[in-house]
Amino acid sequence: MTFFDKLSKHRTGNSIQDVKVRLLTTFSFIALSTSFIVFFAFSLSLVFHEDAQIQQHLVSFEAIGVKHYELSQVEKTELSKFVTAYYNLDALPAKLRENGPYPMGEVTRFQSFYFEGFMVYHTEFEYQGQTIPMYLTIGARSIEFGDDNWDVLLGVSMLLMVFLIVVLRFSLKRVFEGLMSPISELSQQLQTKQDGQFQVNERAIDEIQQMTQHLNQYAQMKERLGKQELMFAKYASHELKTPIAVVLGAAELQAMKPDEAFQTKQRTRILTAARGMQNTMEVLLSIVKQENVSQVNHEYQVEDYQLDMESYRGSNHSTVPIDLVIEQGAQVNFPRVVLEMILKNLVSNALRFTEQGIIEVTIGSQGVRVLDTGTGYHPENGTEHGLGLLIVQRLCASYGWQFEIRDNPYQQGCLVELSR
């Protein structure tokens, strides 16, 4: 097992439910962390507040300490349950003496955050002409002023934690309703392979609604391309069946009659059909493989092609005349086989829908136009027009031309224009 296989095996899931669980865990951690920070901040505030109160309490015994000394001149006396007065540095306990000397008129704190900590207030006073030092001491945690405050602090912290978890959970639910639920709907619709359009809740965010619109557009494009590919296959099948039938028929006829003139005629039919099939295959393959891209910038003289409009009638027995106009010096980047296939499709399409009038074909360097006086162009009948016109449209796109079909602007009929 490779490293990437192991990594994939141990990787957490990425489903919407997995993401929801991870987000909920993250938000719960945020709520707990926030509550802890608040609790810690309040605790420090209470500790400092208690220290300030203890300092004030200690300093308030200064006058009492002086009175005690005036009554009985001793080196040590207990002024209260927590406050002790020392009137000589040597009288201090060894632990307190080691941390001296103490600044005059200030309260000195040692390890005030621990129960073993203490505070010392150093001052002095005059007694019978002598300056007497006095050290008032108290334990750093001897007096608990904030028992009620600690209960309030714990209660506030717990309420804050519960509040944050509830609010964040509710917010997470709303986020998933607005963001993840539409994605789940789209995923479900994709899995069921529905034929209709994709739909999401109207409350979905704009980006998801835009994505849904694009999915619908892609689905329509896929359906349209599928129909075009089917039309393309039908056209290719139709174009190849006729020359193959001609080749097979002529080959069978050759075996039936040994006359040389007859044999020559059949060989000519076979060669003509084979060349036509070869030209058709070249054009169709060039569309599929886009091999003609390198020929886009090569120009061909149209007059050298010697185009035969009558050969494009095929099996159509229409007697509508075809008028061909080639502008002087006209050049196009279509090879002959490509131009002939384009004209064959456009002219045969015009003949199929034109019973009277005329078909005009104009070829110039900047455009090719086929104008008829038939029934006109009806988009709803795109399949009837489309088999040949699809090939024309793809050839134009390959060689950098634009294809347009619309009604005849001058009279009844249809106009097809190819322009660079």
Side-chain angles (χ1 to χ4, degrees), residues 246-283:
V246 172
V247 170
L248 292 175
E252 291 176 357
L253 289 175
Q254 270 190 320
M256 297 173 59
K257 194 173 182 180
D259 181 74
E260 184 176 351
F262 182 77
Q263 293 283 335
T264 302
K265 179 180 179 182
Q266 299 309 318
R267 282 197 300 272
T268 302
R269 290 182 61 198
I270 291 174
L271 290 173
T272 302
R275 290 193 184 99
M277 187 166 53
Q278 182 183 24
N279 292 336
T280 300
M281 287 298 300
E282 288 180 1
V283 174

mmCIF file of all heavy atoms in Angstrom, residues 246-283:
data_model
loop_
_atom_site.group_PDB
_atom_site.id
_atom_site.type_symbol
_atom_site.label_atom_id
_atom_site.label_comp_id
_atom_site.label_asym_id
_atom_site.label_seq_id
_atom_site.Cartn_x
_atom_site.Cartn_y
_atom_site.Cartn_z
ATOM 1 N N VAL A 246 -23.798 2.386 -56.069
ATOM 2 C CA VAL A 246 -23.378 2.529 -57.470
ATOM 3 C C VAL A 246 -22.195 1.603 -57.767
ATOM 4 O O VAL A 246 -22.152 0.925 -58.816
ATOM 5 C CB VAL A 246 -23.008 3.994 -57.761
ATOM 6 C CG1 VAL A 246 -22.375 4.119 -59.155
ATOM 7 C CG2 VAL A 246 -24.242 4.882 -57.676
ATOM 8 N N VAL A 247 -21.230 1.560 -56.876
ATOM 9 C CA VAL A 247 -20.059 0.703 -57.074
ATOM 10 C C VAL A 247 -20.462 -0.760 -57.145
ATOM 11 O O VAL A 247 -20.026 -1.516 -58.042
ATOM 12 C CB VAL A 247 -19.034 0.931 -55.939
ATOM 13 C CG1 VAL A 247 -17.931 -0.121 -56.000
ATOM 14 C CG2 VAL A 247 -18.437 2.313 -56.061
ATOM 15 N N LEU A 248 -21.306 -1.212 -56.247
ATOM 16 C CA LEU A 248 -21.731 -2.609 -56.238
ATOM 17 C C LEU A 248 -22.538 -2.950 -57.485
ATOM 18 O O LEU A 248 -22.341 -4.010 -58.102
ATOM 19 C CB LEU A 248 -22.563 -2.888 -54.972
ATOM 20 C CG LEU A 248 -21.805 -2.843 -53.648
ATOM 21 C CD1 LEU A 248 -22.761 -3.024 -52.479
ATOM 22 C CD2 LEU A 248 -20.732 -3.913 -53.611
ATOM 23 N N GLY A 249 -23.429 -2.037 -57.875
ATOM 24 C CA GLY A 249 -24.245 -2.288 -59.062
ATOM 25 C C GLY A 249 -23.412 -2.348 -60.334
ATOM 26 O O GLY A 249 -23.606 -3.236 -61.185
ATOM 27 N N ALA A 250 -22.483 -1.401 -60.472
ATOM 28 C CA ALA A 250 -21.635 -1.384 -61.664
ATOM 29 C C ALA A 250 -20.733 -2.618 -61.706
ATOM 30 O O ALA A 250 -20.471 -3.186 -62.784
ATOM 31 C CB ALA A 250 -20.798 -0.118 -61.675
ATOM 32 N N ALA A 251 -20.257 -3.061 -60.563
ATOM 33 C CA ALA A 251 -19.396 -4.249 -60.524
ATOM 34 C C ALA A 251 -20.173 -5.488 -60.933
ATOM 35 O O ALA A 251 -19.646 -6.370 -61.653
ATOM 36 C CB ALA A 251 -18.814 -4.421 -59.125
ATOM 37 N N GLU A 252 -21.422 -5.598 -60.505
ATOM 38 C CA GLU A 252 -22.244 -6.743 -60.898
ATOM 39 C C GLU A 252 -22.561 -6.713 -62.388
ATOM 40 O O GLU A 252 -22.582 -7.753 -63.071
ATOM 41 C CB GLU A 252 -23.531 -6.754 -60.074
ATOM 42 C CG GLU A 252 -23.301 -7.080 -58.601
ATOM 43 C CD GLU A 252 -24.587 -6.996 -57.795
ATOM 44 O OE1 GLU A 252 -25.629 -6.630 -58.397
ATOM 45 O OE2 GLU A 252 -24.551 -7.300 -56.588
ATOM 46 N N LEU A 253 -22.818 -5.498 -62.913
ATOM 47 C CA LEU A 253 -23.117 -5.379 -64.344
ATOM 48 C C LEU A 253 -21.914 -5.739 -65.206
ATOM 49 O O LEU A 253 -22.063 -6.280 -66.311
ATOM 50 C CB LEU A 253 -23.579 -3.951 -64.662
ATOM 51 C CG LEU A 253 -24.972 -3.565 -64.130
ATOM 52 C CD1 LEU A 253 -25.250 -2.096 -64.408
ATOM 53 C CD2 LEU A 253 -26.057 -4.443 -64.783
ATOM 54 N N GLN A 254 -20.716 -5.447 -64.719
ATOM 55 C CA GLN A 254 -19.514 -5.772 -65.485
ATOM 56 C C GLN A 254 -19.410 -7.263 -65.753
ATOM 57 O O GLN A 254 -18.939 -7.687 -66.814
ATOM 58 C CB GLN A 254 -18.266 -5.303 -64.733
ATOM 59 C CG GLN A 254 -17.833 -3.897 -65.074
ATOM 60 C CD GLN A 254 -16.464 -3.572 -64.488
ATOM 61 O OE1 GLN A 254 -16.154 -3.951 -63.370
ATOM 62 N NE2 GLN A 254 -15.660 -2.853 -65.254
ATOM 63 N N ALA A 255 -19.842 -8.058 -64.828
ATOM 64 C CA ALA A 255 -19.734 -9.511 -64.991
ATOM 65 C C ALA A 255 -20.800 -10.090 -65.911
ATOM 66 O O ALA A 255 -20.710 -11.238 -66.333
ATOM 67 C CB ALA A 255 -19.828 -10.180 -63.619
ATOM 68 N N MET A 256 -21.804 -9.271 -66.230
ATOM 69 C CA MET A 256 -22.913 -9.767 -67.033
ATOM 70 C C MET A 256 -22.712 -9.577 -68.526
ATOM 71 O O MET A 256 -23.308 -10.285 -69.344
ATOM 72 C CB MET A 256 -24.219 -9.057 -66.603
ATOM 73 C CG MET A 256 -24.608 -9.344 -65.154
ATOM 74 S SD MET A 256 -26.025 -8.356 -64.615
ATOM 75 C CE MET A 256 -27.280 -8.872 -65.807
ATOM 76 N N LYS A 257 -21.852 -8.628 -68.938
ATOM 77 C CA LYS A 257 -21.720 -8.327 -70.370
ATOM 78 C C LYS A 257 -20.266 -8.034 -70.694
ATOM 79 O O LYS A 257 -19.681 -7.097 -70.138
ATOM 80 C CB LYS A 257 -22.596 -7.107 -70.708
ATOM 81 C CG LYS A 257 -22.810 -6.894 -72.191
ATOM 82 C CD LYS A 257 -23.832 -5.774 -72.390
ATOM 83 C CE LYS A 257 -24.117 -5.558 -73.883
ATOM 84 N NZ LYS A 257 -25.091 -4.479 -74.104
ATOM 85 N N PRO A 258 -19.643 -8.814 -71.580
ATOM 86 C CA PRO A 258 -18.205 -8.634 -71.873
ATOM 87 C C PRO A 258 -17.901 -7.524 -72.865
ATOM 88 O O PRO A 258 -16.747 -7.314 -73.215
ATOM 89 C CB PRO A 258 -17.805 -10.005 -72.431
ATOM 90 C CG PRO A 258 -19.059 -10.521 -73.070
ATOM 91 C CD PRO A 258 -20.203 -10.016 -72.254
ATOM 92 N N ASP A 259 -18.930 -6.795 -73.332
ATOM 93 C CA ASP A 259 -18.691 -5.745 -74.338
ATOM 94 C C ASP A 259 -17.733 -4.683 -73.777
ATOM 95 O O ASP A 259 -17.895 -4.212 -72.650
ATOM 96 C CB ASP A 259 -20.034 -5.098 -74.712
ATOM 97 C CG ASP A 259 -19.856 -4.013 -75.761
ATOM 98 O OD1 ASP A 259 -19.616 -4.357 -76.937
ATOM 99 O OD2 ASP A 259 -19.929 -2.837 -75.368
ATOM 100 N N GLU A 260 -16.716 -4.281 -74.581
ATOM 101 C CA GLU A 260 -15.684 -3.364 -74.103
ATOM 102 C C GLU A 260 -16.254 -1.987 -73.762
ATOM 103 O O GLU A 260 -15.889 -1.384 -72.742
ATOM 104 C CB GLU A 260 -14.579 -3.244 -75.157
ATOM 105 C CG GLU A 260 -13.417 -2.380 -74.673
ATOM 106 C CD GLU A 260 -12.292 -2.341 -75.689
ATOM 107 O OE1 GLU A 260 -12.344 -3.100 -76.668
ATOM 108 O OE2 GLU A 260 -11.365 -1.525 -75.464
ATOM 109 N N ALA A 261 -17.145 -1.478 -74.605
ATOM 110 C CA ALA A 261 -17.733 -0.157 -74.342
ATOM 111 C C ALA A 261 -18.559 -0.180 -73.060
ATOM 112 O O ALA A 261 -18.539 0.745 -72.241
ATOM 113 C CB ALA A 261 -18.597 0.280 -75.523
ATOM 114 N N PHE A 262 -19.293 -1.291 -72.877
ATOM 115 C CA PHE A 262 -20.101 -1.439 -71.664
ATOM 116 C C PHE A 262 -19.200 -1.520 -70.440
ATOM 117 O O PHE A 262 -19.485 -0.919 -69.401
ATOM 118 C CB PHE A 262 -20.964 -2.699 -71.796
ATOM 119 C CG PHE A 262 -21.878 -2.917 -70.631
ATOM 120 C CD1 PHE A 262 -23.055 -2.185 -70.478
ATOM 121 C CD2 PHE A 262 -21.559 -3.850 -69.642
ATOM 122 C CE1 PHE A 262 -23.880 -2.389 -69.393
ATOM 123 C CE2 PHE A 262 -22.379 -4.050 -68.562
ATOM 124 C CZ PHE A 262 -23.555 -3.325 -68.431
ATOM 125 N N GLN A 263 -18.090 -2.273 -70.565
ATOM 126 C CA GLN A 263 -17.157 -2.407 -69.458
ATOM 127 C C GLN A 263 -16.537 -1.054 -69.088
ATOM 128 O O GLN A 263 -16.386 -0.707 -67.913
ATOM 129 C CB GLN A 263 -16.043 -3.401 -69.831
ATOM 130 C CG GLN A 263 -16.511 -4.842 -70.006
ATOM 131 C CD GLN A 263 -16.750 -5.523 -68.685
ATOM 132 O OE1 GLN A 263 -16.173 -5.136 -67.677
ATOM 133 N NE2 GLN A 263 -17.622 -6.524 -68.680
ATOM 134 N N THR A 264 -16.198 -0.271 -70.133
ATOM 135 C CA THR A 264 -15.610 1.061 -69.891
ATOM 136 C C THR A 264 -16.602 1.965 -69.171
ATOM 137 O O THR A 264 -16.240 2.720 -68.251
ATOM 138 C CB THR A 264 -15.195 1.697 -71.217
ATOM 139 O OG1 THR A 264 -14.253 0.840 -71.879
ATOM 140 C CG2 THR A 264 -14.563 3.059 -70.982
ATOM 141 N N LYS A 265 -17.867 1.888 -69.569
ATOM 142 C CA LYS A 265 -18.896 2.719 -68.944
ATOM 143 C C LYS A 265 -19.044 2.367 -67.453
ATOM 144 O O LYS A 265 -19.145 3.262 -66.589
ATOM 145 C CB LYS A 265 -20.223 2.524 -69.668
ATOM 146 C CG LYS A 265 -21.362 3.334 -69.075
ATOM 147 C CD LYS A 265 -22.650 3.097 -69.846
ATOM 148 C CE LYS A 265 -23.798 3.881 -69.229
ATOM 149 N NZ LYS A 265 -25.092 3.631 -69.943
ATOM 150 N N GLN A 266 -19.038 1.063 -67.144
ATOM 151 C CA GLN A 266 -19.203 0.648 -65.760
ATOM 152 C C GLN A 266 -17.989 1.045 -64.913
ATOM 153 O O GLN A 266 -18.122 1.425 -63.745
ATOM 154 C CB GLN A 266 -19.433 -0.872 -65.683
ATOM 155 C CG GLN A 266 -20.687 -1.346 -66.427
ATOM 156 C CD GLN A 266 -21.942 -0.562 -66.032
ATOM 157 O OE1 GLN A 266 -22.161 -0.272 -64.868
ATOM 158 N NE2 GLN A 266 -22.754 -0.209 -67.033
ATOM 159 N N ARG A 267 -16.765 0.902 -65.532
ATOM 160 C CA ARG A 267 -15.569 1.327 -64.795
ATOM 161 C C ARG A 267 -15.605 2.813 -64.487
ATOM 162 O O ARG A 267 -15.200 3.264 -63.412
ATOM 163 C CB ARG A 267 -14.308 0.978 -65.597
ATOM 164 C CG ARG A 267 -13.914 -0.491 -65.520
ATOM 165 C CD ARG A 267 -12.479 -0.687 -65.974
ATOM 166 N NE ARG A 267 -12.276 -0.244 -67.336
ATOM 167 C CZ ARG A 267 -12.450 -0.998 -68.420
ATOM 168 N NH1 ARG A 267 -12.850 -2.268 -68.296
ATOM 169 N NH2 ARG A 267 -12.231 -0.517 -69.625
ATOM 170 N N THR A 268 -16.097 3.589 -65.477
ATOM 171 C CA THR A 268 -16.211 5.038 -65.261
ATOM 172 C C THR A 268 -17.175 5.333 -64.105
ATOM 173 O O THR A 268 -16.918 6.198 -63.257
ATOM 174 C CB THR A 268 -16.690 5.737 -66.528
ATOM 175 O OG1 THR A 268 -15.780 5.457 -67.597
ATOM 176 C CG2 THR A 268 -16.787 7.236 -66.324
ATOM 177 N N ARG A 269 -18.301 4.614 -64.047
ATOM 178 C CA ARG A 269 -19.271 4.798 -62.966
ATOM 179 C C ARG A 269 -18.631 4.455 -61.612
ATOM 180 O O ARG A 269 -18.821 5.173 -60.619
ATOM 181 C CB ARG A 269 -20.498 3.923 -63.183
ATOM 182 C CG ARG A 269 -21.387 4.344 -64.335
ATOM 183 C CD ARG A 269 -22.592 3.436 -64.425
ATOM 184 N NE ARG A 269 -23.386 3.513 -63.194
ATOM 185 C CZ ARG A 269 -24.291 2.573 -62.847
ATOM 186 N NH1 ARG A 269 -24.451 1.494 -63.596
ATOM 187 N NH2 ARG A 269 -24.981 2.724 -61.732
ATOM 188 N N ILE A 270 -17.866 3.368 -61.623
ATOM 189 C CA ILE A 270 -17.227 2.942 -60.365
ATOM 190 C C ILE A 270 -16.209 3.987 -59.900
ATOM 191 O O ILE A 270 -16.166 4.364 -58.718
ATOM 192 C CB ILE A 270 -16.555 1.567 -60.555
ATOM 193 C CG1 ILE A 270 -17.612 0.481 -60.736
ATOM 194 C CG2 ILE A 270 -15.669 1.232 -59.354
ATOM 195 C CD1 ILE A 270 -17.038 -0.880 -61.063
ATOM 196 N N LEU A 271 -15.373 4.466 -60.852
ATOM 197 C CA LEU A 271 -14.356 5.447 -60.490
ATOM 198 C C LEU A 271 -14.990 6.755 -60.005
ATOM 199 O O LEU A 271 -14.531 7.376 -59.040
ATOM 200 C CB LEU A 271 -13.431 5.715 -61.672
ATOM 201 C CG LEU A 271 -12.488 4.568 -62.054
ATOM 202 C CD1 LEU A 271 -11.736 4.901 -63.351
ATOM 203 C CD2 LEU A 271 -11.501 4.303 -60.926
ATOM 204 N N THR A 272 -16.046 7.174 -60.716
ATOM 205 C CA THR A 272 -16.714 8.426 -60.320
ATOM 206 C C THR A 272 -17.318 8.306 -58.925
ATOM 207 O O THR A 272 -17.175 9.203 -58.075
ATOM 208 C CB THR A 272 -17.819 8.777 -61.327
ATOM 209 O OG1 THR A 272 -17.249 8.908 -62.643
ATOM 210 C CG2 THR A 272 -18.507 10.073 -60.935
ATOM 211 N N ALA A 273 -18.003 7.183 -58.655
ATOM 212 C CA ALA A 273 -18.608 6.975 -57.342
ATOM 213 C C ALA A 273 -17.535 6.869 -56.260
ATOM 214 O O ALA A 273 -17.683 7.403 -55.158
ATOM 215 C CB ALA A 273 -19.479 5.723 -57.355
ATOM 216 N N ALA A 274 -16.427 6.184 -56.575
ATOM 217 C CA ALA A 274 -15.358 6.017 -55.588
ATOM 218 C C ALA A 274 -14.698 7.348 -55.257
ATOM 219 O O ALA A 274 -14.401 7.636 -54.093
ATOM 220 C CB ALA A 274 -14.320 5.020 -56.104
ATOM 221 N N ARG A 275 -14.465 8.163 -56.330
ATOM 222 C CA ARG A 275 -13.863 9.473 -56.066
ATOM 223 C C ARG A 275 -14.811 10.347 -55.238
ATOM 224 O O ARG A 275 -14.372 11.082 -54.338
ATOM 225 C CB ARG A 275 -13.531 10.163 -57.378
ATOM 226 C CG ARG A 275 -12.375 9.531 -58.144
ATOM 227 C CD ARG A 275 -11.898 10.423 -59.265
ATOM 228 N NE ARG A 275 -10.855 9.779 -60.064
ATOM 229 C CZ ARG A 275 -11.063 9.164 -61.221
ATOM 230 N NH1 ARG A 275 -12.295 9.120 -61.728
ATOM 231 N NH2 ARG A 275 -10.062 8.605 -61.869
ATOM 232 N N GLY A 276 -16.091 10.295 -55.564
ATOM 233 C CA GLY A 276 -17.052 11.077 -54.786
ATOM 234 C C GLY A 276 -17.089 10.634 -53.340
ATOM 235 O O GLY A 276 -17.151 11.451 -52.413
ATOM 236 N N MET A 277 -17.048 9.300 -53.148
ATOM 237 C CA MET A 277 -17.040 8.791 -51.776
ATOM 238 C C MET A 277 -15.759 9.195 -51.058
ATOM 239 O O MET A 277 -15.775 9.519 -49.867
ATOM 240 C CB MET A 277 -17.181 7.261 -51.807
ATOM 241 C CG MET A 277 -17.343 6.632 -50.436
ATOM 242 S SD MET A 277 -17.911 4.914 -50.517
ATOM 243 C CE MET A 277 -16.696 4.211 -51.632
ATOM 244 N N GLN A 278 -14.627 9.179 -51.808
ATOM 245 C CA GLN A 278 -13.353 9.588 -51.203
ATOM 246 C C GLN A 278 -13.397 11.051 -50.779
ATOM 247 O O GLN A 278 -12.952 11.409 -49.686
ATOM 248 C CB GLN A 278 -12.216 9.354 -52.193
ATOM 249 C CG GLN A 278 -10.849 9.715 -51.627
ATOM 250 C CD GLN A 278 -9.745 9.540 -52.653
ATOM 251 O OE1 GLN A 278 -9.991 9.576 -53.866
ATOM 252 N NE2 GLN A 278 -8.531 9.338 -52.184
ATOM 253 N N ASN A 279 -13.956 11.905 -51.656
ATOM 254 C CA ASN A 279 -14.059 13.334 -51.312
ATOM 255 C C ASN A 279 -14.956 13.542 -50.088
ATOM 256 O O ASN A 279 -14.656 14.344 -49.198
ATOM 257 C CB ASN A 279 -14.605 14.115 -52.494
ATOM 258 C CG ASN A 279 -13.623 14.154 -53.659
ATOM 259 O OD1 ASN A 279 -12.418 13.995 -53.466
ATOM 260 N ND2 ASN A 279 -14.127 14.362 -54.861
ATOM 261 N N THR A 280 -16.066 12.781 -50.074
ATOM 262 C CA THR A 280 -16.973 12.898 -48.930
ATOM 263 C C THR A 280 -16.286 12.488 -47.630
ATOM 264 O O THR A 280 -16.398 13.158 -46.594
ATOM 265 C CB THR A 280 -18.223 12.033 -49.154
ATOM 266 O OG1 THR A 280 -18.885 12.473 -50.342
ATOM 267 C CG2 THR A 280 -19.172 12.137 -47.966
ATOM 268 N N MET A 281 -15.536 11.385 -47.679
ATOM 269 C CA MET A 281 -14.840 10.915 -46.495
ATOM 270 C C MET A 281 -13.792 11.929 -46.030
ATOM 271 O O MET A 281 -13.626 12.162 -44.831
ATOM 272 C CB MET A 281 -14.173 9.568 -46.776
ATOM 273 C CG MET A 281 -15.154 8.415 -46.871
ATOM 274 S SD MET A 281 -16.060 8.153 -45.327
ATOM 275 C CE MET A 281 -14.704 7.818 -44.206
ATOM 276 N N GLU A 282 -13.070 12.522 -46.987
ATOM 277 C CA GLU A 282 -12.051 13.512 -46.616
ATOM 278 C C GLU A 282 -12.676 14.694 -45.889
ATOM 279 O O GLU A 282 -12.151 15.179 -44.881
ATOM 280 C CB GLU A 282 -11.309 13.990 -47.865
ATOM 281 C CG GLU A 282 -10.370 12.947 -48.459
ATOM 282 C CD GLU A 282 -9.658 13.465 -49.688
ATOM 283 O OE1 GLU A 282 -9.894 14.634 -50.056
ATOM 284 O OE2 GLU A 282 -8.877 12.705 -50.292
ATOM 285 N N VAL A 283 -13.812 15.164 -46.424
ATOM 286 C CA VAL A 283 -14.459 16.317 -45.795
ATOM 287 C C VAL A 283 -14.996 15.958 -44.420
ATOM 288 O O VAL A 283 -14.818 16.699 -43.451
ATOM 289 C CB VAL A 283 -15.596 16.840 -46.700
ATOM 290 C CG1 VAL A 283 -16.364 17.945 -45.994
ATOM 291 C CG2 VAL A 283 -15.035 17.348 -48.016
#
